[in-house]
Amino acid sequence: MPLDAADRTNAALIADLKSIVGARHVITNPKSMERFCKGYRSGEGPALAVVRPGTLLEQWRVLQAIVAADKIVILQAANTGLTEGSTPNGTYDRDTVILSTTRMDRLQVIRNGRQIISFPGSTLFALEKLLDPLGRQPHSVIGSSCIGASIIGGVCNNSGGALIERGPSYTELSLYAQVTAEGRVELVNHLGIDLGDDPETILTRLEAGDYTEADVLDTNAKASDTEYQARVRAVDEPTPARFNADTRRLHESSGCAGKLAVFAVRLDTYPRNDAEQVFYIGTRDPAVLTKLRRDILRDFSTLPVSGEYMHAEAYDISKRYGKDTLVMIDKLGTDRLPAIFAVKGWIDARLNKLPILPKNMVDRVMQGLSTLWPNVLPKRMEAFRDRFDHHLILKMRDDGIAEAEAYLAGALDGETADWFACTPREAKIAGLHRFAAAGAAVRYQAVNTRKVADILALDIALRRNDADWFEVLPEDVAAGISHKLYYGHFFCHVLHQDYVVKAGVDPKALKARMLEILDQRGAKYPAEHNVGHLYAAGDGQAEFFRTCDPTNSLNPGIGKMSKAKHYA
């Protein structure tokens, strides 16, 4: 059968892509594409192909070819997004090509380790490992990010993370390509490094590290959110400390949500703390934590490193359904986990096609095996779970350790609230237990499909002066929910609230009701996972997206905006 014009055009594009990156890095088989086309938590759609460039120059040429063929480009790194923003979503008016950046994972150290250059596929884990011998730390560390999460993904989504002194991931120094209103692909070098004038020279020199410290320009442009410490301390302000649509932190690559094709970002690093101590705090009264947060942010000379909150129900679900994640990280470290989860995705894509097997077979097997593993949570944590509903993992550094010890000894009565200083082992497990909570709801749904209509996952930014931070739902809303998982970054007043929606309940109607309640509370959402395809972009954010991508060629439809060319 002869090919029609569209098929011939598609075949020509795929041939071009293969000539650029090699045939083995262009995927067109639907089964092989599934793990790229389906979101970590939800969301999926078809794609013409997945292309995996291995160099910045290949990414530039791939981008030119896709745009010239009038196709949609969805840039994707680790595909760990939680709001469907890194995969196709339903149907579009043009074919979609996923540009996967994971092969371009180089990192470069500049300014004696005080700053780094990250390529599109570089991960937080790799950066943490690179900086450790230099006595430096990245913006985010495990406990505030997903398995294998990319650095540039965090910048593009203004991700916040757990570390209180550092704020949202932000830079004004980046190298990116933009599709202009005329449909041309233009490279913009705002990296603050003199690399030449034409795109191929710039990209080739950067990839090779063919520049000196003299080429790294002094600039007033920020490589981090240097104002955040003052902002988070302002506990009487009636606005959130950070949220994705905050126009203060939408700048070129920062917050672009895939509407620009980012090749590299330049970011600050941070000195390693001389000493750290984790304190585990439990209480029956959320007002105790309200006062603690205000007192520490307002009065302490040294800000906490982090302050991670967990409610009792999140604690219990994470204990049961996040145990294998905790154990894997504890026993294997973080290096092997991205590969393990990639293999899991590959197996899932094939087993889910077999009608004789239940869905999510790998999750079911892993969950079954995890029940055979003994309880790994420390005895003192478990004792606090028996006594208290509200748990706070407070990490202090340097002079702040003595400040916290003195405060906790005087502020908590031992009955309605209590605390203990963690051993290093207790601190590690407490942090991993909190980290595992984010995936625990997904696991719960995977192995309880008949009980669950969906997982409604909200990440919300409360006002800095909000004393009534702990949510009490109206009865008509609570009746449709089997489990409420509350956890989050307490001092920033950013909470993750995962709701397990009962089978038979309409998740969309429930979400609309939830958002009404949040609007009444003056909260902003999403706080740090960005709008994806689940939330409507605010007016300023929507205008920023249109400015970044006037033809709507990159990641169209995010923020519930138009998917059509030129936003028709």
Side-chain angles (χ1 to χ4, degrees):
M1 182 181 296
L3 298 175
D4 64 22
D7 288 335
R8 286 196 296 272
T9 301
N10 290 345
L13 172 61
I14 290 169
D16 285 346
L17 297 177
K18 288 180 177 178
S19 71
I20 296 169
V21 303
R24 66 189 296 257
H25 297 300
V26 178
I27 306 168
T28 56
N29 179 281
K31 281 188 178 180
S32 300
M33 288 197 294
E34 186 169 321
R35 67 186 179 93
F36 298 92
C37 294
K38 191 171 184 177
Y40 170 70
R41 213 172 226 171
S42 62
E44 61 185 300
L48 176 65
V50 175
V51 57
R52 303 180 65 238
T55 68
L56 301 181
L57 186 55
E58 286 183 359
Q59 176 171 315
W60 169 251
R61 291 171 176 169
V62 161
L63 188 66
Q64 288 182 307
I66 299 170
V67 172
D70 196 25
K71 308 299 183 187
I72 286 167
V73 184
I74 295 180
L75 288 109
Q76 181 186 100
N79 192 14
T80 57
L82 301 181
T83 57
E84 305 181 4
S86 55
T87 56
N89 186 273
T91 58
Y92 301 84
D93 62 344
R94 294 150 287 167
D95 291 321
T96 297
V97 178
I98 298 172
L99 197 163
S100 172
T101 65
T102 54
R103 293 179 62 216
M104 297 173 290
D105 59 357
R106 294 191 61 191
L107 292 159
Q108 296 174 351
V109 175
I110 60 174
R111 297 284 169 92
N112 296 315
R114 290 183 287 112
Q115 290 185 330
I116 60 96
I117 305 296
S118 171
F119 286 17
S122 308
T123 66
L124 291 167
F125 293 151
L127 179 56
E128 192 174 0
K129 198 172 179 180
L130 175 70
L131 292 177
D132 187 57
L134 305 177
R136 308 288 293 183
Q137 300 180 96
H139 170 271
S140 298
V141 296
I142 186 169
S144 59
S145 57
C146 294
I147 298 296
S150 71
I151 297 163
I152 284 183
V155 171
C156 292
N157 289 303
N158 282 140
S159 297
L163 302 181
I164 297 164
E165 296 173 293
R166 302 177 195 176
S169 188
Y170 179 77
T171 188
E172 296 167 2
L173 296 163
S174 64
L175 175 66
Y176 62 89
Q178 180 177 37
V179 180
T180 68
E182 296 74 33
R184 296 192 307 272
V185 182
E186 292 187 353
L187 189 71
V188 179
N189 181 12
H190 286 169
L191 202 55
I193 302 178
D194 185 0
L195 296 164
D197 298 318
D198 67 282
E200 299 217 351
T201 300
I202 292 169
L203 295 169
T204 302
R205 286 188 61 193
L206 179 62
E207 184 98 45
D210 181 19
Y211 59 91
T212 67
E213 284 291 330
D215 296 316
V216 181
L217 308 177
D218 290 323
T219 171
N220 291 325
K222 296 179 183 294
S224 62
D225 186 352
T226 55
E227 300 168 351
Y228 188 73
Q229 291 192 25
R231 189 170 178 82
V232 76
R233 282 188 181 273
V235 293
D236 293 317
E237 292 297 317
T239 55
R242 57 179 170 89
F243 58 100
N244 288 136
D246 186 354
T247 54
R248 296 169 53 258
R249 288 296 173 255
L250 299 178
H251 181 87
E252 297 179 350
S253 297
S254 294
C256 74
K259 302 298 283 181
L260 298 171
V262 184
F263 289 80
V265 295
R266 177 174 161 186
L267 294 167
D268 288 333
T269 68
Y270 304 84
R272 186 192 298 140
N273 301 325
D274 292 330
E276 292 184 345
Q277 176 63 55
V278 171
F279 300 95
Y280 199 93
I281 300 161
T283 182
R284 291 193 291 272
D285 184 0
V288 171
L289 295 186
T290 301
K291 184 176 187 305
L292 179 147
R293 172 182 170 271
R294 289 179 58 83
D295 289 347
I296 290 177
L297 289 179
R298 185 184 55 210
D299 300 333
F300 276 29
S301 297
T302 304
L303 280 173
V305 176
S306 62
E308 292 298 285
Y309 170 78
M310 286 187 82
H311 183 255
E313 194 163 10
Y315 182 110
D316 294 342
I317 293 290
S318 185
K319 176 181 175 180
R320 182 172 179 182
Y321 294 95
K323 184 196 289 186
D324 58 321
T325 298
L326 188 160
V327 171
M328 280 195 295
I329 298 175
D330 183 37
K331 302 301 180 186
L332 300 178
T334 56
D335 289 350
R336 301 178 189 174
L337 291 185
I340 290 172
F341 278 83
V343 170
K344 176 186 177 294
W346 185 89
I347 295 173
D348 276 335
R350 282 145 182 82
L351 294 186
N352 284 342
K353 303 294 185 185
L354 300 177
I356 60 172
L357 293 177
K359 297 294 184 185
N360 309 312
M361 193 64 190
V362 176
D363 279 293
R364 293 173 187 275
V365 171
M366 292 174 70
Q367 184 61 33
L369 291 174
S370 74
T371 62
L372 302 177
W373 199 275
N375 183 18
V376 296
L377 299 183
K379 290 180 180 179
R380 291 201 289 179
M381 275 178 60
E382 292 282 72
F384 266 45
R385 169 60 189 95
D386 292 338
R387 296 170 60 193
F388 304 118
D389 287 336
H390 304 280
H391 298 243
L392 182 68
I393 307 165
L394 174 65
K395 181 185 286 189
M396 300 299 300
R397 66 171 179 88
D398 305 329
D399 293 342
I401 296 171
E403 284 186 289
E405 285 178 330
Y407 177 86
L408 295 173
L412 306 186
D413 61 16
E415 291 296 326
T416 58
D418 205 351
W419 66 281
F420 63 86
C422 294
T423 66
R425 179 66 181 166
E426 287 172 328
K428 179 181 181 182
I429 296 301
L432 291 177
H433 181 55
R434 156 63 187 91
F435 176 76
V442 178
R443 170 63 59 76
Y444 181 91
Q445 180 183 23
V447 300
N448 293 282
T449 51
R450 294 182 180 179
K451 298 180 182 179
V452 181
D454 202 355
I455 300 293
L456 176 56
L458 303 179
D459 64 299
I460 66 171
L462 300 176
R463 296 169 297 182
R464 283 169 282 176
N465 68 345
D466 197 341
D468 297 323
W469 57 271
F470 185 69
E471 180 177 75
V472 179
L473 291 173
E475 288 187 10
D476 65 306
V477 175
I481 298 167
S482 63
H483 297 288
K484 301 185 291 291
L485 280 65
Y486 297 135
Y487 54 96
H489 316 308
F490 185 64
F491 287 84
C492 299
H493 252 198
V494 168
L495 293 178
H496 300 285
Q497 302 187 166
D498 295 349
Y499 307 92
V500 180
V501 183
K502 293 178 181 177
V505 176
D506 181 359
K508 291 184 178 179
L510 186 67
K511 180 179 179 180
R513 183 81 170 87
M514 290 282 198
L515 298 185
E516 285 178 12
I517 294 169
L518 292 175
D519 290 338
Q520 293 166 7
R521 295 175 66 189
K524 296 291 187 181
Y525 51 84
E528 59 183 12
H529 291 155
N530 222 328
V531 289
H533 289 276
L534 297 184
Y535 298 92
D539 290 341
Q541 189 178 31
E543 181 57 32
F544 174 68
F545 290 158
R546 282 190 287 266
T547 300
C548 289
D549 181 23
T551 66
N552 207 18
S553 296
L554 283 75
N555 213 2
I558 59 163
K560 296 189 178 295
M561 297 171 67
S562 169
K563 291 182 177 180
K565 192 172 183 180
H566 297 290
Y567 303 91

